[in-house]
Amino acid sequence: MISIVKDLAAEALFVSDLQPSQCPSREAVERAVTAMILLHGSDGCAAEVATEFGDHPEVAVPRMHWVHEELTGVLESRRVAAFH
């Protein structure tokens, strides 16, 4: 179940307008994920990701790496906050 939620969050962040150069805050990442899921739904986010990987793999691969780094940071900060 956790894996499915992480995958959905990754797809949603991938299709958002957030850029690595913005160095978004944890809150900005969470807002972007929520907004994209509400806008596109889970299937829509997945379809957008697939399209980008098909049309622009040279850009999509580094973006997905960034997405996973951002989400790892968000999850780690939540774990730390939960223990305080």
Side-chain angles (χ1 to χ4, degrees):
M1 177 70 140
I2 299 290
S3 172
I4 293 169
V5 172
K6 284 176 65 176
D7 290 346
L8 176 56
E11 292 165 351
L13 182 56
F14 183 94
V15 301
S16 77
D17 291 335
L18 285 183
Q19 297 298 316
S21 61
Q22 294 173 295
C23 299
S25 67
R26 178 183 62 111
E27 293 81 11
V29 169
E30 290 176 352
R31 281 192 307 269
V33 167
T34 301
M36 292 300 100
I37 292 170
L38 291 173
L39 180 65
H40 297 289
S42 60
D43 290 344
C45 289
E48 293 281 331
V49 170
T51 299
E52 283 303 307
F53 268 89
D55 293 347
H56 307 287
E58 71 284 353
V59 177
V61 170
R63 180 158 178 86
M64 190 56 83
H65 284 294
W66 171 76
V67 162
H68 283 285
E69 289 173 6
E70 286 297 311
L71 291 177
T72 298
V74 167
L75 292 174
E76 285 177 7
S77 67
R78 284 185 165 273
R79 281 188 210 121
V80 169
F83 289 111
H84 286 100

